[in-house]
Amino acid sequence: MNLIFMGPPGAGKGTQAKRIAAAYDLVQLSTGDMLRRAVEEGTEVGRQAKSVMDAGEYVSDDIVVAIVSERIGQPECSKGFILDGFPRTLNQAHSLDKVLASKGLEIDHVVMIRVDDEKLIARIAGRFSCSTCDAAYHDQFNRPKHKNVCDICGGLQFSRRSDDNAEAVAVRLEVYYGQTAPLLPYYEAQKSLRTVDGMADIDVVTEQIKSAINAHGSD
Ligand code: ADP
Ligand code: ADP
Ligand code: ZN
């Protein structure tokens, strides 16, 4: 089963993709995580992406399409994958369709996680994550069970994203509505769009996603 997780910044894509990947034995492919890793490692892609990401703008379609296509073809993805934060432009969606067709693959469900702007801003302001496994936490809504210890991997190091500041968030929301929201009618027309209420509690959102997937089967 192959899935796309869509939604504005802070909607809970990463949080839910990790849970659904574990439940269905899928690989989470987060373009944001891959790009942040490239920045940390100082690769050519990272060098090109850093300032664009910090400003809240989108990295070029060519770069993200290349990093995703490389991963989709690998054996680790043979049971299926979740594209978390990709595609984000119509051009990326068209490129993805071509890559999938060339490999004989299809997307079974596009899960749209809907959250109001006010909530997104609060979520992004309090977001931090485990430096070891990327698990997302929140100062108010989702603290580790034991203070300063990652629930998932036991890691003791946490970090905050350099683009989770008020100016970059305003740009990210604007770019999302301008460039990514137009993908919704595209996937609606393909009958693969499943919208869930991302404002509910984390566990409730996970259940909604499972029900949406199970209700539609994966053909
Ligand atoms: P968010 O948590 O805001 O949804 P991500 O971690 O998915 O953000 O992405 C962080 C940044 O990485 C984006 O603001 C953008 O600069 C870049 N990025 C991630 N995915 C894409 C993509 N599919 N196309 C272009 N840029 C991307
Ligand atoms: P995205 O990948 O869409 O940018 P994240 O999964 O990183 O979003 O979630 C953004 C922040 O909101 C994180 O701090 C996360 O712990 C928190 N969060 C995620 N889902 C919920 C939810 N349903 N209710 C409250 N907080 C949430
Ligand atoms: Zn961890």
Side-chain angles (χ1 to χ4, degrees), residues 129-135 137 149-158:
S129 62
C130 171
S131 305
T132 311
C133 75
D134 286 328
Y137 294 98
V149 183
C150 175
D151 295 347
I152 310 290
C153 76
L156 303 172
Q157 285 242 9
F158 296 87

Side-chain angles (χ1 to χ4, degrees), residues 6-13 112-123 173 176-177 195-200 205:
M6 277 186 63
K13 300 180 294 297
M112 164 63 193
I113 307 178
R114 217 192 57 75
V115 176
D116 290 348
D117 285 4
E118 263 167 61
K119 277 227 158 109
L120 296 172
I121 290 166
R123 285 191 188 176
L173 284 171
Y176 171 81
Y177 289 111
T195 301
V196 300
D197 171 18
M199 304 208 268
V205 179

Side-chain angles (χ1 to χ4, degrees), residues 95-106:
S95 301
L96 173 65
D97 287 345
K98 282 186 206 138
V99 171
L100 292 171
S102 75
K103 298 182 196 295
L105 297 171
E106 274 182 3

Side-chain angles (χ1 to χ4, degrees), residues 6 59-60 92 95 108 113 136 169 181 199:
M6 277 186 63
V59 173
S60 81
Q92 290 176 21
S95 301
D108 298 288
I113 307 178
V169 169
M199 304 208 268

Side-chain angles (χ1 to χ4, degrees), residues 9 11 17-18 34 47 59 78-79 94 97 109 117 153 157 165 183 189 191 196-198 213 216:
K18 285 197 170 57
M34 292 182 220
R47 210 184 49 71
V59 173
S78 59
K79 288 195 179 154
H94 295 142
D97 287 345
H109 310 279
D117 285 4
C153 76
Q157 285 242 9
N165 62 71
L183 292 181
K191 309 253 181 287
V196 300
D197 171 18
I213 291 174
H216 290 88

Side-chain angles (χ1 to χ4, degrees), residues 47-207:
R47 210 184 49 71
Q48 288 181 37
K50 165 105 178 103
S51 58
V52 181
M53 290 172 78
D54 280 343
E57 304 280 355
Y58 283 169
V59 173
S60 81
D61 290 340
D62 291 349
I63 290 183
V64 289
V65 169
I67 60 178
V68 169
S69 345
E70 193 203 318
R71 292 289 294 279
I72 284 179
Q74 289 179 7
E76 57 156 3
C77 290
S78 59
K79 288 195 179 154
F81 52 78
I82 302 178
L83 294 173
D84 160 11
F86 176 93
R88 268 174 149 116
T89 64
L90 270 172
N91 186 26
Q92 290 176 21
H94 295 142
S95 301
L96 173 65
D97 287 345
K98 282 186 206 138
V99 171
L100 292 171
S102 75
K103 298 182 196 295
L105 297 171
E106 274 182 3
I107 296 295
D108 298 288
H109 310 279
V110 178
V111 177
M112 164 63 193
I113 307 178
R114 217 192 57 75
V115 176
D116 290 348
D117 285 4
E118 263 167 61
K119 277 227 158 109
L120 296 172
I121 290 166
R123 285 191 188 176
I124 292 172
R127 166 160 59 187
F128 62 99
S129 62
C130 171
S131 305
T132 311
C133 75
D134 286 328
Y137 294 98
H138 192 281
D139 293 327
Q140 281 166 277
F141 312 136
N142 182 25
R143 299 197 198 99
K145 288 191 185 71
H146 303 282
K147 203 169 179 230
N148 301 329
V149 183
C150 175
D151 295 347
I152 310 290
C153 76
L156 303 172
Q157 285 242 9
F158 296 87
S159 58
R160 288 182 195 260
R161 284 168 46 175
S162 55
D163 59 343
D164 277 353
N165 62 71
E167 289 118 71
V169 169
V171 177
R172 280 156 63 198
L173 284 171
E174 203 174 301
V175 172
Y176 171 81
Y177 289 111
Q179 300 201 45
T180 305
L183 292 181
L184 298 173
Y186 179 75
Y187 287 118
E188 179 89 88
Q190 296 187 0
K191 309 253 181 287
S192 50
L193 190 66
R194 326 278 175 239
T195 301
V196 300
D197 171 18
M199 304 208 268
D201 286 348
I202 293 179
D203 288 343
V204 175
V205 179
T206 306
E207 286 313 310

